[in-house]
Amino acid sequence: SHRMQSLFDKYGGFATVSKIVREFYSGVLQSPTLRPYFEGANMERIIDHQTKLIAHLLGGPAEYSGRELGIAHSSLKVTGSAFDEVAEILQETFEDAGMEAEDVAKVMGIVAGVRGSVVTA
């Protein structure tokens, strides 16, 4: 039987994911509400982690757990509206990268599922 192609493979693997993540953070850091969350942060390290996370969400080889996500954000006091704004930027970034609507919806469904472990304020 034909193995279902992962979205990771379908959209060009790490090269595409890396480009998406950089676009995403460029959008996030332009937001006056979101930028303060990243003050003093090691952006290259965050970008590296986020690249692994998105690759994992798209069915790629990288390992990432929701638990790590919670720990990474626990001290930041992320509000629901901040999470939603980030999700919106992420969705726009996927769309701009040429991802099909149903694929975007699938990934954003997974993103919505981690909201509870990221939002602490």
Side-chain angles (χ1 to χ4, degrees):
S1 70
H2 177 69
R3 186 181 70 85
M4 203 187 104
Q5 185 192 31
S6 71
L7 298 183
F8 179 79
D9 293 332
K10 177 176 177 180
Y11 290 109
F14 274 112
T16 303
V17 172
S18 175
K19 185 169 161 289
I20 285 172
V21 170
R22 287 183 184 277
E23 292 286 314
F24 164 69
Y25 278 111
S26 137
V28 164
L29 294 174
Q30 279 166 32
S31 159
T33 34
L34 300 178
R35 196 184 307 116
Y37 284 106
F38 295 91
E39 264 160 26
N42 178 342
M43 288 312 293
E44 281 306 313
R45 189 164 162 269
I46 290 175
I47 283 169
D48 179 59
H49 276 266
Q50 185 78 1
T51 301
K52 288 179 182 144
L53 173 60
I54 301 287
H56 176 67
L57 292 184
L58 297 177
E63 285 305 306
Y64 215 98
S65 77
R67 186 171 160 274
E68 291 170 46
L69 215 56
I71 292 166
H73 294 86
S74 59
S75 63
L76 293 175
K77 305 281 179 275
V78 177
T79 63
S81 63
F83 182 92
D84 296 341
E85 189 181 345
V86 166
E88 206 169 290
I89 293 169
L90 185 61
Q91 178 164 346
E92 283 168 13
T93 308
F94 284 139
E95 287 165 356
D96 291 347
M99 195 179 283
E100 291 166 27
E102 66 177 306
D103 294 336
V104 173
K106 192 185 296 176
V107 178
M108 294 314 297
I110 300 169
V111 171
V114 302
R115 193 179 193 277
S117 47
V118 174
V119 174
T120 55

